[in-house]
C-alpha cells in the first residue's frame, strides 16, 4: 500500500481548489538557502512489523519511574499518608 495514493489529477484538483498553479508555488516564500536540494537521507522503507519491532526495541531502552528519578508531574508521585488514627 502506498502512503500517498494520490494521482496527478488529484494533486491538480487540490491545487486548483486552493488557487495555486503548482506545488512549487506553495513554497515561494521559503528562501532558497533553506530549501532542501534533494531527497532527505532516510533509511529504506520497512513493513509494519519491522517498524513495530524497531519502535519496541527503542522503547525497551526507556527507564520507568521505578528505576530512575522523575521530575515530571509537579510532585505527583507515590506518597505514604498515615492512617488518621496515627496522626
Amino acid at each position: 500500500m502506498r502512503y500517498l495514493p494520490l494521482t496527478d489529477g488529484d494533486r491538480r484538483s487540490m491545487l486548483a481548489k486552493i488557487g495555486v498553479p503548482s506545488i512549487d508555488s506553495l513554497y515561494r516564500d521559503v528562501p532558497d538557502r533553506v530549501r532542501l536540494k534533494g531527497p532527505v537521507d532516510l533509511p529504506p522503507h520497512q513493513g509494519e512489523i519491522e517498524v513495530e519491532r524497531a519502535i519496541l526495541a527503542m522503547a525497551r531502552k526507556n527507564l520507568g519511574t521505578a528505576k530512575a528519578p522523575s521530575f515530571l508531574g509537579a510532585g505527583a508521585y507515590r506518597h505514604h499518608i498515615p492512617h488518621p488514627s496515627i496522626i
Side-chain angles (χ1 to χ4, degrees), residues 7-72:
T7 65
D8 288 339
D10 293 334
R11 290 182 186 92
R12 282 191 300 275
S13 176
M14 288 188 285
L15 291 170
K17 187 72 170 179
I18 62 173
V20 295
S22 68
I23 296 286
D24 290 334
S25 66
L26 293 173
Y27 301 100
R28 69 176 175 257
D29 294 329
V30 178
D32 281 337
R33 62 184 167 76
V34 296
R35 288 189 192 192
L36 294 176
K37 305 302 183 222
V40 178
D41 183 22
L42 295 173
H45 69 279
Q46 296 179 330
E48 183 178 350
I49 292 172
E50 289 82 12
V51 171
E52 184 176 350
R53 286 177 183 154
I55 289 172
L56 287 173
M58 286 187 268
R60 283 189 206 101
K61 295 178 183 179
N62 291 332
L63 294 177
T65 55
K67 295 183 179 182
S70 173
F71 301 101
L72 300 174

